[in-house]
Amino acid sequence: MNTPAPPKPQPSAPAASWDDLLARGTEHTQRAFHELTAATRDYAGHSPDLIWGNLQTPAYAQEVLRMVARLHQLPDDSHAGAAERTARARYLGQDGRTYHVLLGEQALLTGVGSPEVMRAQLEHLLTALDTPGLQLGIIPARARLHVYPGDGFGIHDGTRVEVEGYRGCETITDPKRVGLFHRAFRLLQESAVYGQEARLLVIEALRGW
């Protein structure tokens, strides 16, 4: 008789709420996300209009976090926040961790910072396509969708979802709601391209910058 596998441990929530962390600056929220990344073994995520955080260059990340600070009227600690965000890249390909990430083609075209920042970011993305443990799909702008894109989200070890937007970050652990994001991810995946097709989309976007 087979013994059922024990459930995966759920990554713990930050000691303070996301809103409280953000009120203290982007460095604090990014440190909490760094800790969550370190605790996660299996990740699936969708980023419709920005490059996924773990693949951002320091300059790109700083520009994104500078916009966050401006929106929420925070002191600009984007340099420190970007250092915490880009440090998450160390977990790619480490200790058997797996990442399945879907980017909207719009993420390659959204103007974050100067053209120089964007060119460096897309060149970095091309290099990252071959990272062990990373499966990166891109949803072409003209692809037929089977579900509306919605907000960006990340599923951590199958049991916890983080959803990001203007309202800040929402943590979802209710199994029924988590299951909804699993279905959304599978439907979005049906529209994505991988491998050489994804690489060609990045190259085409790079030429435009």
Side-chain angles (χ1 to χ4, degrees):
M1 181 176 179
N2 293 329
T3 303
K8 293 180 180 179
Q10 183 177 307
S12 59
S17 72
W18 290 119
D19 286 345
D20 290 341
L21 288 171
L22 183 59
R24 293 158 57 190
T26 67
E27 180 182 12
H28 294 279
T29 56
Q30 293 308 307
R31 182 174 298 132
F33 269 112
H34 185 174
E35 293 168 358
L36 176 58
T37 300
T40 299
R41 306 293 303 179
D42 179 59
Y43 174 91
H46 172 230
S47 184
D49 45 26
L50 290 175
I51 302 300
W52 177 51
N54 292 28
L55 295 178
Q56 291 178 6
T57 64
Y60 183 101
Q62 187 168 353
E63 292 288 350
V64 171
L65 295 176
R66 185 174 289 130
M67 289 189 282
V68 171
R70 185 180 301 123
L71 173 65
H72 292 278
Q73 298 182 315
L74 306 172
D76 184 1
D77 66 345
S78 55
H79 180 77
E84 286 289 345
R85 173 170 284 194
T86 55
R88 288 157 27 191
R90 74 182 66 176
Y91 300 105
L92 293 172
Q94 184 187 81
D95 299 330
R97 288 179 173 85
T98 59
Y99 298 87
H100 188 173
V101 179
L102 301 176
L103 298 182
E105 185 180 359
Q106 180 60 45
L108 314 177
L109 308 174
T110 302
V112 175
S114 66
E116 289 76 19
V117 169
M118 288 302 302
R119 284 195 290 270
Q121 175 61 72
L122 294 181
E123 287 167 356
H124 177 65
L125 188 61
L126 282 174
T127 302
L129 284 171
D130 297 322
T131 303
L134 173 64
Q135 186 177 10
L136 182 65
I138 298 177
I139 301 173
R142 296 181 183 275
R144 180 179 178 181
L145 294 180
H146 304 283
V147 64
Y148 52 88
D151 292 325
F153 63 86
I155 307 172
H156 298 262
D157 287 329
T159 61
R160 169 176 171 168
V161 176
E162 297 292 340
V163 186
E164 297 184 70
Y166 283 150
R167 65 189 178 281
C169 190
E170 178 186 8
T171 299
I172 298 170
T173 56
D174 174 73
K176 184 175 180 180
R177 296 186 67 198
V178 170
L180 180 67
F181 282 90
H182 279 282
R183 290 196 300 276
F185 186 86
R186 289 193 295 270
L187 290 167
L188 288 164
Q189 185 186 351
E190 291 179 17
S191 301
V193 297
Y194 294 83
Q196 185 61 16
E197 288 183 84
R199 184 177 298 277
L200 290 174
L201 285 175
V202 180
I203 292 171
E204 183 62 29
L206 182 55
R207 288 172 180 156
W209 289 105

